Amino acid sequence: MFAQLANALPHFRNTNSGQFFLMAGPCVIEGEDMALRIAERIKHITDKLQIPYIFKGSYRKANRSRLDSFTGIGDETALRILQKVGREIGVPTVTDIHETTEAAFAAEYVDVLQIPAFLCRQTDLLIAAAKTGKVVNVKKGQFLSGDAMQFAVDKVRQSGNEHVILTERGNSFGYSDLVVDFRNLPAMQQFGVPVVMDVTHSLQKPNQSSGVTGGQPVLIETIAKAAIAVGADGLFIETHPTPATAKSDGANMLPLDQLEGLLTRLTTLRQALQDTGSIEALPA
């Protein structure tokens, strides 16, 4: 499964560490300097730990609770920053799209197109993303089982694109909470695609009365360790130098200065599981 991703992302082709891969970065692109600093820091950490890395940043936030919530610094401005991060830091990049017209536009700047969880059943959006030829990362809807994501994979593949990733991000529990059912990871791996655990979004507390999503970042390491133990191919972590001042999703992001320690512990866990035969090494 990892080999499929490596074939689609040239930056991954020389990676043979056997580690999980990482999608990480700020929730939204807030500016060029911040994006480059975050990407450079994460690249330094992941190089040291031999973790394949994809820089994540939304060029626009379309799903906001309130009209006055921050949505972005301008579509083309943010996409050009993502492109610059990819070129200067030397990593693939991922951003989310929301409408069919955005697919070809965003594909000019990034390597991976992400389909938000709420939109994972939007057939035209999946087809448009697939037809760009880019890797398509489909987040599992909060309202779906892992098994149901077979149809999202089929839509992308039947549109001529074999480069699919599925991402687990929890299931709705009541009106303002999410729970993670780790059975969904092996269920989605049965479709022959890399499966990622979105560690930070799965800890959201949505639909708060204030209109600002809450979170439980204290549990980031718990969810990440469980995902590695289950055999996740990759992790998705939103991180920011100062989450309290972030313009989006600050309540559930990991402080950037805590990332290296977390990843170090996770790579140790991954290696221990491989050594005991509890989990297979990812192929080069």
Side-chain angles (χ1 to χ4, degrees), residues 103-104 107 113 125-134 136 156 158-161:
L113 297 177
L125 182 59
L126 289 166
I127 292 172
K131 288 189 176 298
T132 67
K134 298 291 184 174
V136 181
V156 177
Q158 290 167 12
S159 300
N161 191 333

Side-chain angles (χ1 to χ4, degrees), residues 68-108:
D68 61 352
S69 296
F70 178 80
T71 58
I73 59 175
D75 291 358
E76 190 165 359
T77 299
L79 284 167
R80 288 190 182 278
I81 290 171
L82 281 160
Q83 185 179 58
K84 187 171 184 177
V85 167
R87 288 175 176 172
E88 292 198 2
I89 307 301
V91 294
T93 54
V94 57
T95 198
D96 37 327
I97 59 172
H98 317 90
E99 299 180 18
T100 56
T101 53
E102 296 177 34
F105 176 50
E108 295 180 17

Side-chain angles (χ1 to χ4, degrees), residues 14-37:
N14 296 322
T15 300
N16 58 4
S17 67
Q19 284 294 347
F20 54 88
F21 66 92
L22 177 70
M23 293 183 177
C27 179
V28 64
I29 298 298
E30 299 178 11
E32 180 178 304
D33 181 63
M34 177 179 286
L36 287 168
R37 284 190 292 113

